[in-house]
Amino acid sequence: MNTARSKLSDDPISYDAAAVLATGGIKQTDLDNLVTSLSTAREESLNDLDRWRANDAGEESLDPAFIDLPERLLADYGTRRPESELFSILQTSRRLREAVDRVVVLGIGGSYMGTRALFESCCHPFHNELSRGERGGRPRLSFEGFNIDNDSAQGLLDVLRLHPSGGDGDDLLAQWAMLVVSKSGGTLETAAATRLFLSELSEAVGGDAKQIAERVVPITGASGKLASLAKTLGCPDVFGIPDGVGGRFSVFTAVGLLPASLVGIDVVRLLEGAAAMTRRYRESPVSENPVLQYVAISHLAEEKLGATIRILSSWSNQLEAVGLWYDQLLSESLGKDEKGATPLTTVTTRDLHSRGQQHQDGRRDKIITNLCVGESRRDCIGLPPLSGSTGNEDQLDDLIGTTWPSMLAAATDGTNEAYASVNRPTATIHLPQIDEFTIGQLLQMLMLATVVEGRLVGTNPYGQPGVEAYKKFMMKRLRPDG
Ligand code: PA5
């Protein structure tokens, strides 16, 4: 098996809400009436960049630098190549790739979910199961530090202690490194995991301080506990998370780009996709702007139809982690002041067998946005004849040769028809195919949509003050006298 990649495409992703309008619950005039407010919200979201650059945010949290980050990274790479951030990321990626066969990413929330989304969408779905050769010499990627789960941490330690080629652990296949990702540098889950895996790494390299330093790559804010640890360890490669880029908006910094590049994802194409989406956001009229149309429909569904639950229904297994990343993005950004829709990711058809009943017949508090993919990356599988039988016990002989994509298309169209038959609002984000360029567009589209909706409804999309409450009460229990 190889990790075949599809051809490069420059196709734009698109958003289609015709089926929502067809329900009659939201009308074209409602959309027209929102045009001025959407234009103003777009302007405000872009002005946030100027305000942030002019240090003019006052007390307000403001992290809008993700908006033009992809174009800035690409321009820098194009003009100052060896000194650019992207060049350093690629250099470190090459160094680690040649030295180890597994990289453990430690991080939580915005510090790992974007990486997971990139890994699961753009890589071979069984990347970690392939041999090094089949992975093109790229390391495996594992995640920890996103919970405090004893047995799961022990499980990863078991895996790190395996010596796949049966040797004494000195061979390349037994080598591993860790990326520690935390913007604040003080998140307990990540910090505890850092201690644990640092101690394991130290043991694995016989306490060799130089090797430890080389195998730990911190990605963190300019100051803080993790930055200090990086200094003490003497790590040769440390990456920053730029000021003005918040955790959940950091997928196109070293946070996402370094691990992505390690596993063979074309990070330049990712950034090109993201930059293309920012251009469309800035330049397209409201009626043709995928970001603004998506926000308009989702917002009107909430206001006019009481659709406070937003289901992102992925028609590809590979986009589930994108959905989970988006759940976090929308919840942390707009779930404030007792407002904000509840996002929910589903994978279809899988979840039609668990949630389909409710979506079809349950409470009318949902809008469904399909995430549909045009072309598969791999050759289409056709339904084979039944092996081991000359009969037609499963009664599928009439479908022999029908391909997986055409069965999925029938499921998509059938599900949309079923929802339409009972006036369930259903829109679609269409990806021509899954590749770096379309994933770059999609992630940037959803980040832009989140901040512009914040500006539209008067909620600051940046910062997550509510998350501090659990941290405070957790630490009070851990340090009752502190
Ligand atoms: O979006 C956010 O800012 C959060 O989800 C953070 O990414 C998360 O809380 C982890 O924080 P840190 O990167 O500081 O460890």
Side-chain angles (χ1 to χ4, degrees):
M1 183 189 272
N2 65 41
T3 51
R5 309 181 73 84
S6 53
K7 64 187 184 320
L8 282 182
S9 91
D10 277 326
D11 294 337
I13 66 174
S14 57
Y15 176 69
D16 177 3
V20 178
L21 296 181
T23 64
I26 295 173
K27 302 193 169 39
Q28 185 56 47
T29 48
D30 298 321
L31 280 172
D32 297 342
N33 290 338
L34 207 60
V35 167
T36 311
S37 313
L38 282 168
S39 294
T40 309
R42 169 171 57 183
E43 224 174 285
E44 222 180 302
S45 70
L46 295 170
N47 284 345
D48 282 343
L49 259 180
D50 301 330
R51 285 174 58 216
W52 172 75
R53 289 212 166 97
N55 219 348
D56 188 20
E59 291 293 285
E60 203 186 345
S61 268
L62 210 52
D63 284 327
F66 81 92
I67 294 176
D68 63 354
L69 179 70
E71 41 202 275
R72 282 188 283 114
L73 284 174
L74 287 170
D76 196 36
Y77 185 58
T79 51
R80 299 191 315 131
R81 186 151 302 201
E83 288 89 46
S84 69
E85 172 84 350
L86 198 49
F87 188 84
S88 309
I89 289 173
L90 295 172
Q91 289 283 91
T92 301
S93 161
R94 185 169 314 126
R95 176 176 76 71
L96 288 178
R97 203 163 63 215
E98 285 165 6
V100 304
D101 197 53
R102 184 182 298 270
V103 172
V104 178
V105 175
L106 303 181
I108 192 168
S111 287
Y112 95 104
M113 297 185 88
T115 300
R116 191 157 213 153
L118 296 176
F119 180 50
E120 291 191 15
S121 59
C122 295
C123 286
H124 188 289
F126 296 93
H127 177 94
N128 283 354
E129 257 80 39
L130 301 177
S131 69
R132 187 168 170 94
E134 287 162 335
R135 283 179 268 124
R138 268 87 189 205
R140 299 180 162 98
L141 203 61
S142 303
F143 296 90
E144 249 299 335
F146 58 86
N147 204 343
I148 324 174
D149 183 315
N150 186 73
D151 292 358
S152 148
Q154 288 283 24
L156 183 53
L157 291 173
D158 289 343
V159 168
L160 295 175
R161 288 169 193 157
L162 292 174
H163 299 151
S165 50
D168 56 5
D170 281 345
D171 55 304
L172 177 63
L173 298 185
Q175 306 305 316
W176 59 279
M178 56 198 254
L179 309 185
V180 188
V181 189
S182 175
K183 176 149 190 190
S184 62
T187 303
L188 177 73
E189 291 87 336
T190 309
T194 303
R195 281 198 171 220
L196 179 67
F197 287 89
L198 199 50
S199 136
E200 185 67 21
L201 183 64
S202 172
E203 196 148 315
V205 299
D208 180 333
K210 181 165 176 289
Q211 281 209 59
I212 295 171
E214 285 173 357
R215 300 278 182 93
V216 178
V217 180
I219 305 176
T220 187
S223 58
K225 297 170 190 160
L226 180 55
S228 309
L229 176 64
K231 229 180 247 159
T232 306
L233 292 177
C235 301
D237 295 316
V238 181
F239 289 91
I241 303 173
D243 274 352
V245 180
R248 59 191 172 276
F249 298 96
S250 67
V251 62
F252 296 129
T253 68
V255 171
L257 297 177
L258 176 57
S261 149
L262 269 165
V263 290
I265 294 173
D266 183 342
V267 294
V268 169
R269 290 296 290 159
L270 262 182
L271 292 171
E272 286 172 350
M277 183 51 72
T278 302
R279 259 193 317 279
R280 284 174 84 188
Y281 174 63
R282 277 207 190 99
E283 295 167 11
S284 301
V286 173
S287 60
E288 291 161 28
N289 195 307
V291 175
L292 297 178
Q293 286 302 302
Y294 170 74
V295 169
I297 292 287
S298 309
H299 170 71
L300 287 170
E302 194 175 335
E303 294 283 296
K304 295 184 71 76
L305 310 176
T308 53
I309 298 180
R310 293 188 192 165
I311 294 169
L312 192 64
S313 175
S314 167
W315 288 86
S316 159
N317 292 346
Q318 288 193 256
L319 296 177
E320 182 171 24
V322 169
L324 297 176
W325 165 85
Y326 178 57
D327 286 352
Q328 181 243 0
L329 176 67
L330 190 66
S331 311
E332 274 198 341
S333 302
L334 301 187
K336 292 170 183 160
D337 305 321
E338 307 195 354
K339 292 194 294 185
T342 301
L344 177 67
T345 289
T346 63
V347 174
T348 358
T349 63
R350 183 189 75 190
D351 296 344
L352 291 176
H353 295 258
S354 56
R355 296 180 184 275
Q357 166 64 36
Q358 188 178 44
H359 296 176
Q360 185 77 27
D361 285 345
R363 214 181 272 260
R364 289 189 175 271
D365 53 2
K366 301 166 202 68
I367 176 166
I368 294 170
T369 303
N370 291 313
L371 210 44
C372 288
V373 181
E375 263 182 62
S376 307
R377 285 157 72 106
R378 306 289 297 272
D379 292 345
C380 295
I381 303 169
L383 188 73
L386 191 57
S387 293
S389 162
T390 50
N392 181 20
E393 284 84 352
D394 60 4
Q395 301 284 299
L396 290 179
D397 273 0
D398 56 327
L399 295 180
I400 286 176
T402 306
T403 63
W404 255 234
S406 32
M407 282 194 267
L408 188 71
T412 313
D413 294 345
T415 306
N416 286 339
E417 190 178 341
Y419 291 153
S421 70
V422 288
N423 270 343
R424 297 280 172 172
T426 311
T428 297
I429 296 173
H430 182 81
L431 275 66
Q433 58 184 6
I434 297 180
D435 62 19
E436 287 86 344
F437 190 68
T438 56
I439 294 298
Q441 291 178 70
L442 178 64
L443 299 186
Q444 189 74 352
M445 173 182 161
L446 294 172
M447 289 193 283
L448 290 167
T450 302
V451 299
V452 75
E453 183 173 355
R455 291 315 179 201
L456 180 73
V457 300
T459 298
N460 179 357
Y462 303 111
Q464 57 285 339
V467 183
E468 294 310 310
Y470 102 85
K471 293 186 190 167
K472 191 175 90 194
F473 291 120
M474 169 175 73
M475 291 316 290
K476 215 163 104 188
R477 279 162 176 74
L478 287 171
R479 292 188 179 129
D481 306 322

